[in-house]
Amino acid sequence: MLEKTPSDRPDAAQRPEADTVGPHAVPLTLRVNGMTHTLSITPETTLAQALREQLDLTGTKIACDRGACSACTVWLDGAPVCSCMVLALEVGAREVTTIEGLTDREALHPVQAAFIEHDAIQCGFCTPGLIMSCVALLKRTPHPSEHEIRAAISGHLCRCGTYPHVLSAVLAAARTEEA
Ligand code: FES
Ligand code: FES
């Protein structure tokens, strides 16, 4: 196999100007839970890391750190995303909502209260992510069927096996909102 010799390689000075940042920290502005934050982050920092390590919003959990479990779910402009799969630099002007921003902290969100009522929490590591997906579901589908709830939480891994309780909790929260 022919290997490229140094003389075959384009000279760095001839390469098109790359739109790169880093490896050093760069400034970043993030809108999180209704507040604007100015951070200094290295380009490989994920949104999950920025939230936990720079903003102290540790309700967002990092479990697999590779998009497989959904424990790190937050909202970007109201849509659930795995924050371990989003670079903080990619967020741009979109509004980030974490579990801490779900309510004004004076009271629990009805879905949080229903999780407690229906014993849908064991170790709790998957819980914030699950709640973010369940609340997003109720916002777009206030009266979901069991099938719709299962579909909404299908990417969430709960090693403690709370799924039947999560289902009951979301159905109950939907009824509460109805009342
Ligand atoms: S920690 Fe992000 S998907 Fe598992
Ligand atoms: S409650 Fe333990 S992983 Fe879900």
Side-chain angles (χ1 to χ4, degrees):
M1 193 172 90
L2 265 182
E3 286 197 358
K4 280 198 167 198
T5 63
S7 59
D8 295 328
R9 294 182 192 130
D11 188 272
Q14 296 170 355
R15 286 185 215 138
E17 192 72 19
D19 188 14
T20 57
V21 290
H24 305 297
V26 291
L28 172 72
T29 301
L30 276 186
R31 284 277 302 166
V32 182
N33 299 336
M35 291 176 64
T36 302
H37 302 271
T38 304
L39 314 177
S40 175
I41 59 146
T42 49
E44 77 280 8
T45 304
T46 64
L47 175 58
Q49 290 170 325
L51 292 170
R52 290 180 55 84
E53 295 163 17
Q54 297 224 9
L55 298 178
D56 218 16
L57 293 170
T58 53
T60 298
K61 305 302 181 200
I62 299 175
C64 70
D65 205 15
R66 60 193 60 198
C69 74
S70 299
C72 61
T73 299
V74 302
W75 297 346
L76 275 190
D77 280 349
V81 297
C82 289
S83 59
C84 73
M85 297 299 287
V86 179
L87 291 176
L89 282 175
E90 294 177 317
V91 173
R94 288 177 289 179
E95 173 77 27
V96 181
T97 308
T98 71
I99 189 81
E100 292 90 346
L102 214 46
T103 67
D104 57 10
R105 301 198 191 195
E106 294 297 318
L108 292 176
H109 186 281
V111 171
Q112 291 175 304
F115 264 57
I116 295 169
E117 178 74 18
H118 289 265
D119 205 15
I121 305 164
Q122 288 195 36
C123 77
F125 215 79
C126 67
T127 309
L130 267 169
I131 287 176
M132 295 308 285
S133 285
C134 292
V135 175
L137 168 68
L138 293 182
K139 279 184 180 292
R140 61 179 188 272
T141 309
H143 307 298
S145 64
E146 285 195 19
H147 176 76
E148 287 169 318
I149 300 170
R150 287 180 201 276
I153 65 172
S154 60
H156 290 263
L157 298 186
C158 174
R159 290 173 63 100
C160 303
T162 59
Y163 301 111
H165 300 263
V166 170
L167 203 61
S168 307
V170 177
L171 289 170
R175 283 195 298 272
T176 306
E177 293 290 277
E178 214 174 338

